[in-house]
Amino acid sequence: MLEEFFGSIYCWFETFFTHNIEANDNLANYLWGEELFVKHGQNLYLGVGLIMCTVTLLIVVSYYYFVNNAKLNHWWGWGLFFLANGFVNLVIGWQWTYTDLMAGYMKITDVASGQVIDSEINGTNCFCFGISNMLLSLMLFFLLSMLIKWKSSNVSEAPFVK
């Protein structure tokens, strides 16, 4: 159930991280765990989605409750944590997929011959997936900020300081 939830959310950006790839062997199909790939059967959206949510939650909570410094009660203070969250999640999404690409897991098994051949997935697609992960984490960061900022003692008005 969670696999489908995260998969459907990441697929909002599917055309971005699967550009210039045939429909059969694109990065989205690999992440869904389709059987034509060497490593298959496991939906990878769940793992990267849970890590993205956890990292984002930790950074938001850190800003509002652990750091909680009045000097950071400005749009730019909030923005530093916002951008740090985006950068961390970009690297996580990019490396999550790029590591599998370099390990050869994204190669395709030809059904007719049984041979393993290269897919058209490349490092650019993996980086674009990282950007997709970053964009989702930034949306979540903003949402979580609006939900939990009210109980912060020093930065409860960020990012909309009057």
Side-chain angles (χ1 to χ4, degrees), residues 59-86 138 141 145-146 149 152 154-161:
I59 293 174
V60 169
V61 168
S62 294
Y63 174 71
Y64 284 105
Y65 298 107
F66 296 124
V67 174
N68 196 20
N69 189 326
K71 291 180 182 179
L72 295 173
N73 191 27
H74 300 283
W75 65 267
W76 55 265
W78 181 86
L80 289 173
F81 282 78
F82 182 76
L83 293 175
N85 174 65
L138 293 177
F141 188 96
S145 290
M146 297 305 109
K149 72 182 198 163
S152 175
N154 293 316
V155 291
S156 62
E157 295 181 10
F160 306 115
V161 180

Side-chain angles (χ1 to χ4, degrees), residues 53 56-57 60 139-149:
C53 290
T56 301
L57 179 64
V60 169
M139 287 187 265
L140 182 61
F141 188 96
F142 182 79
L143 177 70
L144 290 173
S145 290
M146 297 305 109
L147 292 174
I148 71 167
K149 72 182 198 163

Side-chain angles (χ1 to χ4, degrees), residues 32-144:
W32 277 112
E34 291 199 6
E35 292 185 16
L36 62 125
F37 293 96
V38 171
K39 181 181 176 185
H40 65 274
Q42 180 181 3
N43 183 322
L44 300 176
Y45 286 119
L46 177 63
V48 74
L50 288 176
I51 290 172
M52 181 267 298
C53 290
T54 303
V55 167
T56 301
L57 179 64
L58 288 173
I59 293 174
V60 169
V61 168
S62 294
Y63 174 71
Y64 284 105
Y65 298 107
F66 296 124
V67 174
N68 196 20
N69 189 326
K71 291 180 182 179
L72 295 173
N73 191 27
H74 300 283
W75 65 267
W76 55 265
W78 181 86
L80 289 173
F81 282 78
F82 182 76
L83 293 175
N85 174 65
F87 179 75
V88 168
N89 279 294
L90 180 143
V91 171
I92 289 169
W94 167 47
Q95 286 300 306
W96 187 281
T97 54
Y98 191 70
T99 302
D100 281 2
L101 177 67
M102 291 295 104
Y105 297 149
M106 294 184 191
K107 294 185 180 201
I108 297 174
T109 305
D110 186 1
V111 178
S113 67
Q115 292 182 322
V116 176
I117 55 175
D118 284 334
S119 67
E120 294 184 24
I121 302 170
N122 59 40
T124 302
N125 301 114
C126 296
F127 187 74
C128 288
F129 180 76
I131 292 172
S132 302
N133 195 49
M134 175 191 73
L135 293 173
L136 287 171
S137 74
L138 293 177
M139 287 187 265
L140 182 61
F141 188 96
F142 182 79
L143 177 70
L144 290 173

